Amino acid sequence: MNSPPETPSAAERPAVTDAELLTAHINGDPHAFSEIVKRHRDRMWAVALRTLGDPDEAADAVQDAFVSAYRKAATFRGEAAVTTWLHRIVVNACLDRMRRKSVRPVADDELIEAAERETPLPDQTVEREVSMEVSAALKLLPNDQRAALVLVDMMGYSVEDAAQVLQVPSGTVKSRCARGRAKLAPILSHLRNRTDLNRVSSAKGAELRDG
């Protein structure tokens, strides 16, 4: 007599939602969380790298975040999308790292000084050069402004979605973005007439966010 076919895991069944995968993980499916990682690691990496500006730090933050999500999966209440929940954990992991490093926010006159010292990198492509300049400028912002700008201006999130990730009111996100943009203006003013800037930031961020 033929033995009955094995029931496929949640990760192997077609069109399984993130929420279903998370529920399957909580219920003991050994493959479900791996599928969640596969689906979202690139987007989580993009957020961490743009927030921290350092590949090694970003890798550690993403690892910390996924370990935390794995352990705290049962706390997910479904009030937001799984993606939003994961972004929140990654952003918090990044902010924790920035706090531990005690990065001092840079004053406006120091931002102007940094812009004046800037020298172009002739061996880089235009897109790579612009991306590096934006990343370097973001490092000079206070942590809360940097996190808001990464989500809204670079990853293409709406203010409302960013507010969910950061767990602050929408008005706070708008305020942080406005203050951050004002501080970045002296550094990035020379990029205003270069269409590459938008391609490197919002367009690329939307691509990574939407998969």
Side-chain angles (χ1 to χ4, degrees), residues 39-52:
R39 289 183 182 185
H40 297 287
R41 61 188 170 196
D42 288 347
R43 279 167 277 182
M44 301 304 107
W45 163 255
V47 170
L49 182 60
R50 290 174 184 273
T51 302
L52 294 169

Side-chain angles (χ1 to χ4, degrees), residues 50 118 125-138 149 152-156 181 184-206:
R50 290 174 184 273
E118 180 189 84
T125 63
V126 171
E127 183 171 318
R128 174 67 174 164
E129 183 180 334
V130 170
S131 180
M132 290 175 67
E133 290 181 41
V134 172
S135 295
L138 282 169
L149 279 177
V152 175
D153 285 359
M154 304 196 77
M155 299 302 296
R181 290 175 191 134
L184 290 178
I187 288 184
L188 300 179
S189 59
H190 62 291
L191 300 179
R192 281 178 187 160
N193 296 325
R194 290 164 67 168
T195 56
D196 308 274
L197 179 59
N198 288 331
R199 186 171 70 248
V200 172
S201 56
S202 295
K204 183 63 175 176

